[in-house]
């Protein structure tokens, strides 16, 4: 459910729905007329992809720190 996903992710409703629209967050599932939810596995996969992206970003930053002194010098 939305409140649980907000609590787990730390994201606001607006951000969750915007990320979902952009394809950066799992799609919600209708639980009834006025209720939505997400599959737990999908949320876990979202966090896994975030971790992979963070690792890649850190590796690129590390590479850039190693390259810049040679380029500048």
């Amino acid at each position: 459910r939305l409140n649980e996903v907000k609590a787990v992710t730390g994201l606001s409703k607006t951000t969750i729905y915007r990320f979902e629209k952009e394809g950066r967050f799992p799609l919600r599932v209708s639980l009834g007329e006025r209720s939505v939810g997400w599959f737990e596995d999908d949320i876990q996969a979202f966090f896994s992809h975030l971790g992979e992206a963070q690792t890649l970003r850190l590796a690129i930053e590390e590479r850039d720190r190693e390259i810049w002194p040679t380029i500048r010098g």
Side-chain angles (χ1 to χ4, degrees), residues 2 8 17 26 31-32 43 50 52-53 56 60-63 66-67:
L2 180 59
V8 168
Y17 286 175
L31 301 175
I43 299 301
L50 279 182
E52 292 168 9
L56 178 60
I60 290 170
E61 288 175 0
E62 180 65 26
R63 182 206 64 199
E66 293 172 1
I67 291 174

Side-chain angles (χ1 to χ4, degrees), residues 2-65:
L2 180 59
N3 285 337
E4 293 171 22
V5 171
K6 285 171 39 180
V8 168
T9 62
L11 300 173
S12 69
K13 175 182 174 180
T14 303
T15 300
I16 290 169
Y17 286 175
R18 180 170 37 94
F19 281 6
E20 182 184 50
K21 183 178 180 180
E22 294 170 353
R24 297 167 53 192
F25 198 80
L27 296 175
R28 65 194 133 181
V29 177
S30 176
L31 301 175
E33 206 171 298
R34 298 187 58 181
S35 184
V36 296
W38 288 261
F39 290 109
E40 187 175 347
D41 290 348
D42 290 345
I43 299 301
Q44 289 173 352
F46 168 75
F47 278 116
S48 176
H49 292 305
L50 279 182
E52 292 168 9
Q54 175 73 1
T55 300
L56 178 60
R57 186 180 63 78
L58 292 174
I60 290 170
E61 288 175 0
E62 180 65 26
R63 182 206 64 199
D64 289 348
R65 278 194 294 276

